[in-house]
Amino acid sequence: MDIDFTRLRYFAAVADELHFTRAAEKLHVSQPALSGQIRALEEELEVDLFDRGPAGMTLTGAGRKLLPYAEDIIR
């Protein structure tokens, strides 16, 4: 498995904002492009990283475990 660095950056931004539109603005990308990259990362890892619901977004257990590794790699 070869995880794309950009997808990890996008994941970390969405995890920080817990909002796709705000994260997309922060990253200077379109919201649909960002959503697609997050979905591709989830498919590659075969796990949901975010719980998406009417009350907003939260990280799943897998998302919480991935976040510190993603942040270390980004640094």
Side-chain angles (χ1 to χ4, degrees):
M1 182 182 317
D2 186 24
I3 297 174
D4 187 288
F5 177 79
T6 299
R7 287 183 181 159
L8 289 179
R9 264 189 343 110
Y10 287 6
F11 163 71
V14 175
D16 182 49
E17 296 292 334
L18 291 177
H19 194 275
F20 277 103
T21 302
R22 286 193 300 266
E25 290 170 356
K26 179 178 176 180
L27 293 165
H28 306 288
V29 299
S30 71
Q31 185 274 325
L34 177 60
S35 295
Q37 290 295 314
I38 295 299
R39 180 63 61 206
L41 179 60
E42 290 176 322
E43 289 174 5
E44 186 173 1
L45 297 174
E46 298 179 355
V47 65
D48 288 334
L49 298 170
F50 297 96
D51 283 323
R52 301 157 175 90
M57 289 178 54
T58 59
L59 284 166
T60 63
R64 287 191 301 276
K65 288 179 184 176
L66 177 60
L67 185 58
Y69 294 105
E71 291 171 335
D72 284 345
I73 292 167
I74 292 164
R75 277 193 291 276

